[in-house]
Amino acid sequence: KTAMQIVEIMKVMEARHPVVMATRVSAEKSAEIQAALPQATYFEMARICAIQPSVPLAIRPGKLSILTAGTADLPVAEEAAVTAELCGFQVTRLWDVGVAGIHRLLSNRHVIDQSDVLIVAAGMEGALPSVVAGLADCPVVAVPTSVGYGASLNGLAPLLTMLNSCATGIG
C-alpha cells in the first residue's frame, strides 16, 4: 500500500478502534504517514506505525515472553512484542538466547518458568523453539524467520524443524 492509502485506512479505523496498526512499514512511508497523522508512532525495529489511545489500555493478565535465537531475528520478534504491547500485554524480551549459546537461555530459565505464553523466533535450523518447549510448561508459539546462512533456505529449514518438533505444547 502507499503511504496515503495507509493514512486513509488508519483514519477510518481510528474512529472505530482504540489501537490502529500498520505493519511492515518502511521508515520512509512512516514519515509520510506521520506527516498526515501526527498522533501516529513509528516503531522502527518492528516496522509498525500505530495510533494508540490517549489513555493506555488496561494491562491484560498473563505473562508473555518473546525470545529470539539471534539478533537477526529481532525485527520479527519486535513486531510480535510491539503488537502484544499495543494490545495491552506486558512483554518480557529475551534476545539472542539461541542454542549456539545455550548458557544464555539457561541463565534466564526463571523467565521461561514464570511465563504463561512463550513466542520463540528463530532462523537457521530453528532449534530454539523445541529446546524452549522442552523446558516450559506453557504454550510455545514457534516463529520461523527467513534469516540465516548456510542451508536455512530462506526460512524453509527452520519451518520444517519447528513443524517436526517432538516437544509438547509447541505450535
Side-chain angles (χ1 to χ4, degrees):
K1 294 180 178 45
T2 68
M4 288 307 109
Q5 289 171 327
I6 294 170
V7 166
E8 292 306 313
I9 292 167
M10 291 181 91
K11 282 180 181 177
V12 170
M13 292 182 74
E14 183 181 23
R16 298 180 181 150
H17 301 284
V19 176
V20 179
M21 292 186 299
T23 60
R24 305 293 168 107
V25 176
S26 68
E28 296 79 22
K29 276 189 187 176
S30 174
E32 291 181 61
I33 293 166
Q34 288 178 299
L37 298 171
Q39 70 274 34
T41 303
Y42 185 59
F43 300 89
E44 187 174 5
M45 178 69 73
R47 295 177 19 207
I48 291 175
C49 193
I51 298 173
Q52 304 171 67
S54 55
V55 176
L57 297 175
I59 299 297
R60 294 183 182 269
K63 295 186 179 191
L64 172 65
S65 297
I66 302 178
L67 295 72
T68 68
T71 55
D73 305 311
L74 284 176
V76 172
E78 262 306 300
E79 184 178 1
V82 169
T83 298
E85 288 172 338
L86 288 170
C87 292
F89 291 96
Q90 290 185 312
V91 175
T92 299
R93 292 165 167 84
L94 289 180
W95 296 161
D96 200 19
V97 293
V99 297
I102 198 146
H103 61 284
R104 294 186 299 261
L105 176 67
L106 297 177
S107 68
N108 285 288
R109 177 73 193 259
H110 63 284
V111 174
I112 294 168
D113 293 340
Q114 295 169 359
S115 296
D116 296 307
V117 175
L118 295 156
I119 298 173
V120 184
M124 294 299 293
E125 79 283 355
L128 184 61
S130 292
V131 172
V132 170
L135 296 170
D137 64 353
C138 65
V140 174
V141 179
V143 182
T145 66
S146 58
V147 298
Y149 45 86
S152 68
L153 304 174
N154 295 320
L156 181 60
L159 172 65
L160 293 175
T161 297
M162 293 171 193
L163 288 172
N164 287 301
S165 176
C166 63
T168 59
I170 192 169

